[in-house]
Amino acid sequence: MINIYDTSYISQLLTNITNIFDAIFLIFSIMTIYGKINLETNVNNDVIRGGICIYLMLGILWYLFYQMIYIFDINAFRFPEFRSASENINLFYFSFITLTTVGYGDITPVNNYAMIFSNLEGLCGQLFPAICIATLVSLYKK
């Protein structure tokens, strides 16, 4: 039975609620910036900055997803024994390593959902720059 007065339970619940609202905010921000980029008729500094912002926000968004998975299953990721940093920093690192498709292999997803989400992030890490660069090239006019 869940003790509603357990501080760790309340902390995990509030963390998940915060992560959900943060993820919704990031999704709307990404969609808004991407929509603005697609409306541009030529490349300028704002379009390039918008693409960079979207890429960074994608990494943070996936970090929030990994954090939610980790709260539900503490064994969802295998961390190396020598790493003394907190799990939040490790998951942030894992998110950007996966997004850039470097994949050092020091942190590995073990849970099925963690594996699926890391595969999806790797796909986004490959597809977004390709689509973004294609968009920029098509907008470029001498």
Side-chain angles (χ1 to χ4, degrees), residues 10-31:
I10 293 172
S11 175
Q12 288 177 350
L13 180 66
L14 291 176
T15 301
N16 265 342
I17 292 171
T18 303
N19 286 343
I20 290 168
F21 281 114
D22 289 345
I24 291 169
F25 173 76
L26 281 172
I27 290 168
F28 281 125
S29 298
I30 289 168
M31 289 177 8

Side-chain angles (χ1 to χ4, degrees), residues 22-35 37 49-65 92 95-96 99 121 124 128:
D22 289 345
I24 291 169
F25 173 76
L26 281 172
I27 290 168
F28 281 125
S29 298
I30 289 168
M31 289 177 8
T32 302
I33 294 171
Y34 191 74
I37 288 173
R49 284 188 204 114
I52 293 169
C53 286
I54 290 173
Y55 195 71
L56 294 175
M57 284 192 284
L58 282 172
I60 295 169
L61 179 65
W62 287 104
Y63 158 70
L64 293 173
F65 292 152
F92 189 80
S95 175
F96 278 94
L99 184 67
E121 184 181 17
C124 285
F128 177 76

Side-chain angles (χ1 to χ4, degrees), residues 27-95:
I27 290 168
F28 281 125
S29 298
I30 289 168
M31 289 177 8
T32 302
I33 294 171
Y34 191 74
K36 177 71 175 154
I37 288 173
N38 280 338
L39 292 177
E40 292 294 324
T41 56
N42 48 354
V43 178
N44 56 29
N45 288 337
D46 290 337
V47 172
I48 294 170
R49 284 188 204 114
I52 293 169
C53 286
I54 290 173
Y55 195 71
L56 294 175
M57 284 192 284
L58 282 172
I60 295 169
L61 179 65
W62 287 104
Y63 158 70
L64 293 173
F65 292 152
Y66 295 140
Q67 202 174 29
M68 285 186 258
I69 291 170
Y70 184 75
I71 286 173
F72 285 113
D73 182 6
I74 199 163
N75 296 316
F77 298 92
R78 186 176 308 129
F79 301 103
E81 279 89 39
F82 63 86
R83 190 170 296 250
S84 62
S86 74
E87 283 78 16
N88 287 336
I89 293 171
N90 286 329
L91 291 174
F92 189 80
Y93 160 80
F94 175 73
S95 175

